[in-house]
Structure formats: structure tokens, C-alpha cells
Amino acid sequence: MLTRRIIPCLDVKDGRVVKGVNFVALRDAGDPVLAAAAYDAQGADELCYLDISASHEGRKTLLDLVERTADCIFMPLTVGGGVRTVDDVTALLRAGADKVAMNTAALLDPTLVRAASDRFGAQAIVVAVDARRSAGPTLRWEVFTHGGRHATGRDALAWCEEAARLGAGELLVTSMDKDGTRSGYDLELTAEVARRVPVPVIASGGVGGLEDLRLGLTVGAADAVLAASIFHFGEQTIRAAKAYLAAHGVPVRALA
Amino acid sequence: MIAVVDSGSGNLRSVEKALAAVGGRPIVTADPDVVRRADRVVVPGQGAFRDCMAGLAARGLDAALREVIAAGRPYLGICLGLQVLFDESEEQGPVRGLGVLAGRVVRFRPESPTRKVPHMGWNDVHLAPGRDEPNWRGLPDGAHVYFVHSYYAVPSEPGVTVLECDYGVRFAAAVRKDNVFACQFHPEKSQSVGLALLTRFVTCA
């Protein structure tokens, strides 16, 4: 049976982990490669880097980081942040990323999703969607871009459906309402997206504990769960998360 | 020397590094003469079947691959490197493959909307009944390996399937005929299980 995936996500800037990772005695808590290797050893199912570098130098540093990471981990690596052109996608895949996530640029120019998907296959293209609940009597979500700073007026569910049609092989859906709150994923959001699109959905934003992972994968109907702080700061391990999920009947990959 | 064949698409670096990590000496190449000189040949591949076949043909690699396969040298196909072995794929086609193995490549047709395509993630694989696969010896039945694909091969010759996987339909996770071995999953992304498989491939006689 296809198992549900647990994906630790590292925010990186100029080649460094933004907040540091403290779950093991790393020689350098700010080095993403060491954190990536530690997650590989723990049995994470995939790894995600989200780059928040703004500068051109930062982008070059990212490519170097992806190369060094891909050289020492043997699990899938998704890289997102600042991807604007098919050339950006090409460079990241060449550097060793397995999947490239696009967000703002995909929304501004949906043909980018189509072009990248045609060139590299849907399996290599992730569209990341930052969604926030809209005020009003009906339940709806609006897409935000630029790291959640710009409202677009676009309906998030409609955009998710369009992104899948354009050739995204996976959707990374982040709740802006929940992100950083540690109160759990926006389960209605992920469940609604998962119901509407034929491609896998990754839930993101709001994890406070292991039960949140379970809810994301069951009530939220997500195929994979993204988490950052609960793993980075040693509150939980990948092993503990898998044991918890398995004990509650969620199919996960057993660790050797 | 292991030739890692560059058809112009895909993440070759991961395959190269994984082979090196288990003691192989990989060289990424698009040169058919390098492929002809190799002791072993690995064909990774991602993206579209048509592009992969076109990439192989444009460089004369299709003929070189048929030669090294006919010469009995160990072949490892990964993902599209499995699919291109077959007669044809229905992806954007039909498109002709190398025709080394009889059969065709078809798309997953989910029986329910909750079953997503691509088939993406870790799934368990099992030896096909009565089969013994040298590259899988010592590995546990039901071990999880990493898949990411929307199409799968349906061999028409009995006994070619050596590992099976279930995704609504039972499909060939790995195939073998003589010196030709290929897996639909990604050993280079399958942590210890994948590295064990690659170890067996780089050391097989």
C-alpha cells in the first residue's frame, strides 16, 4: 500500500538554515546539509528546502547547497522559493533537486507551469499555494503571493484545480491562517483541495504535535504532511511520528 | 566503469552519487562509444517517454544500448529507463520504445478519485511468485521503495516481472530478462534499501 509521507521542511536563506536545527548534536546547527543528512538517517520520507534569499548571490548559493545536499542524501528533495523561469527549474533539477516548487511566478504566469511540466514531467513540478480564509458567510480561501504578503483576489480552490490541469504533479497547500500557530493544519482547506484535484496534496502550516500530522492525513485527506519546527527543535522525531501514525492506523513506511 | 546514460532529461546527479556511494565508478555520458566501452550501463530517466526516446535516438544511444544489451553486459534501467525497454508507450503516443522487452507502457487509470496520479511516494514491493532476483537477494519482502510515475509497463512475456507492487492494479515494479534488469522505482531515492540494490548491481558478475 502506498504510504503517507512525512516531509521535514527547512527554510534556507543565503545557504543557511533560517532558525537553526537543534534535534541532534550537529557540528553546525545552521548548515542545511548536516540537517538534511540527519533527517535522511532518521528516515524522513522526503525533504523540502524553501529558499527565502532575495539576492542574486543567494540564488547561486542555493544551487551550490542543492548540489551538496543531493550528494549525501538518498531520498527525494523538493526545492522551492524564488523560482521564476523554466531556466530556474532546469538549474535546480540539474543541481540535484527531484522536484521544484513554484508559487508566485506560477500564479503570475500559469504558462510557466505548463512549460516546465511538458519539459520535465508533472512528477518534477510542485505548485505551492498560500491560502487564507476569506471573511464572509461562505467558506472560501484566497491565494496570497510573495510569501503571504500580497492578496491576489484569486480563489484558492479554483487555482489549485487550474494548477493541476496545467501540469503540476503535486500541490503544496499552506494555510496562512494556521502557519506558525501550532494549532493544526487547516483541515477543511486540505480536504477540499484533495477532493478536487487528481494529484497528491501536501498539507502545510500549523503543526503543533503528532496528532496534527494524523489529522492532516485523515480528516485533511492529505497524501503527505510538511512540518518544520516540531522536528527541527527536537520536540519530536521522525521515528516517533511514524510510530504514532502507525499505531493509529495510518499507513507509513516502517523504518529499518 | 559504469556508464550513466544521459538522454537529456532527468536528475542524473543523484544516480551518479548513489552509484559512487556503493563503490561504483560511474561516468555520466551521452557518448555512444563510452556506453559501448562500459562494463555496466545505467539508464535513468524522468519526464516524457517521447522526449527520452528522442534524446536517445538523437545521440545514437539507442543503437549503443541494444549492442551492450546483446553483448550481455549488466543493464540497470530506472523509471523511464525501464519503460523505454518495451515495445511502445501510450504516453503522448503510441511511441515506439527500444523493443528489448515485449509489452507496452500504459497510464494508471484510477478506480476512485481518491487514488492520485502520479503514483508518488513509498510503496511496498514483493518478489513475483517463483522468482529469485539477484539484485534483490537479502532484501526483505515487502520493503518500501520510492516511486514517482504515472505510467507503468505491462510485460507480455511471462516471467519477466520479478518485483510486484500494488497501486489499485498490480504492476511490474521491476523486470528482468537475462542481463537486463530494470526497476520502476528509484533506488537512488530509496535510502538503505535502494543502496543495497545498487550495491548488488555494481558487484554482480
Side-chain angles (χ1 to χ4, degrees):
Chain A
M1 181 189 281
L2 181 65
T3 55
R4 305 299 174 109
R5 291 168 280 152
I6 299 176
I7 309 176
C9 179
L10 294 163
D11 287 346
V12 297
K13 185 177 186 187
D14 302 323
R16 303 283 293 171
V17 179
V18 173
K19 288 181 197 155
V21 170
N22 295 313
F23 61 86
V24 285
L26 294 180
R27 200 167 65 239
D28 174 358
D31 184 351
V33 179
L34 293 178
Y39 278 124
D40 196 31
Q42 279 198 12
D45 295 315
E46 290 188 29
L47 188 70
C48 182
Y49 281 164
L50 287 182
D51 183 56
I52 56 170
S53 306
S55 66
H56 183 61
E57 292 70 31
R59 303 292 306 165
K60 280 195 291 197
T61 307
L62 175 67
L63 289 178
D64 173 63
L65 169 62
V66 171
E67 286 188 2
R68 289 187 292 119
T69 304
D71 289 356
C72 69
I73 67 166
F74 301 103
M75 64 175 162
L77 173 65
T78 298
V79 182
V83 175
R84 290 188 178 83
T85 64
V86 172
D87 285 348
D88 291 341
V89 177
T90 308
L92 286 167
L93 293 176
R94 286 245 170 89
D98 297 286
K99 303 184 240 182
V100 172
M102 334 177 165
N103 188 330
T104 302
L107 201 80
L108 295 176
D109 177 14
T111 63
L112 175 63
V113 180
R114 169 66 65 203
S117 181
D118 283 349
R119 174 105 177 255
F120 299 106
Q123 87 291 333
I125 306 303
V126 180
V127 168
V129 179
D130 294 337
R132 187 187 295 274
R133 285 178 183 242
S134 304
T138 53
L139 184 59
R140 62 183 297 274
W141 292 265
E142 181 179 0
V143 183
F144 279 67
T145 59
H146 300 85
R149 294 190 302 277
H150 293 1
T152 64
R154 291 283 303 272
D155 180 72
L157 299 176
W159 169 234
C160 286
E161 290 176 295
E162 185 183 345
R165 272 197 305 273
L166 287 165
E170 190 167 51
L171 299 180
L172 167 56
V173 181
T174 301
S175 163
M176 304 305 299
D177 304 287
K178 291 287 198 167
D179 205 23
T181 65
R182 304 177 57 89
S183 62
Y185 298 111
D186 185 336
L187 301 173
E188 288 171 303
L189 171 64
T190 56
E192 195 56 30
V193 174
R195 191 175 71 77
R196 288 175 183 234
V197 300
V199 299
V201 173
I202 307 170
S204 162
V207 178
L210 300 184
E211 176 65 3
D212 294 327
L213 301 179
R214 186 188 74 80
L215 289 170
L217 295 168
T218 53
V219 179
D223 300 278
V225 280
L226 194 89
S229 53
I230 66 161
F231 296 128
H232 298 342
F233 305 123
E235 288 166 45
Q236 292 298 345
T237 62
I238 301 290
R239 186 172 290 278
K242 292 204 167 184
Y244 182 87
L245 292 170
H248 289 80
V250 180
V252 289
R253 178 172 61 115
L255 299 175
Chain B
M1 179 267 287
I2 304 171
V4 177
V5 177
D6 180 5
S7 64
S9 66
N11 174 357
L12 300 171
R13 189 182 181 93
S14 296
V15 174
E16 181 191 6
K17 295 297 172 182
L19 288 165
V22 299
R25 286 194 305 118
I27 295 178
V28 175
T29 184
D31 180 343
D33 289 326
V34 174
V35 172
R36 288 187 179 92
R37 285 201 302 274
D39 311 312
R40 296 158 211 276
V41 177
V42 179
V43 181
Q46 291 171 335
F49 188 99
R50 179 185 294 276
D51 295 341
C52 186
M53 279 307 296
L56 292 173
R59 297 164 174 86
L61 290 163
D62 50 348
L65 288 175
R66 285 197 189 89
E67 284 172 42
V68 298
I69 287 170
R73 263 168 270 158
Y75 173 104
L76 169 62
I78 298 172
C79 197
L80 263 185
L82 174 148
Q83 296 181 7
V84 295
L85 291 167
F86 286 84
D87 292 323
E88 66 172 30
S89 170
E90 68 177 23
E91 183 178 5
Q92 303 170 347
V95 180
R96 299 293 300 170
L98 293 171
V100 171
L101 299 176
R104 47 197 315 268
V105 177
V106 300
R107 188 175 166 88
F108 283 112
R109 291 180 177 78
E111 76 287 7
S112 93
T114 59
R115 194 179 290 282
K116 307 291 185 164
V117 179
H119 172 222
M120 185 185 285
W122 298 80
N123 204 336
D124 52 315
V125 295
H126 301 266
L127 271 179
R131 292 306 307 253
D132 168 41
E133 168 47 46
N135 287 334
W136 194 256
R137 266 179 213 152
L139 287 168
D141 197 54
H144 286 93
V145 291
Y146 189 81
F147 289 89
V148 51
H149 62 124
S150 300
Y151 294 79
Y152 63 96
V154 184
S156 53
E157 201 176 335
V160 165
T161 299
V162 289
L163 289 173
E164 295 178 330
C165 181
D166 182 8
Y167 194 57
V169 56
R170 277 197 92 71
F171 70 93
V175 295
R176 155 132 0 229
K177 186 177 182 186
D178 305 322
N179 54 312
V180 174
F181 174 80
C183 45
Q184 181 58 64
F185 53 89
H186 290 266
E188 78 282 11
K189 295 289 160 190
S190 297
Q191 292 178 342
S192 58
V193 173
L195 294 178
L197 184 154
L198 293 176
T199 304
R200 286 157 181 70
F201 174 75
V202 303
T203 54
C204 69

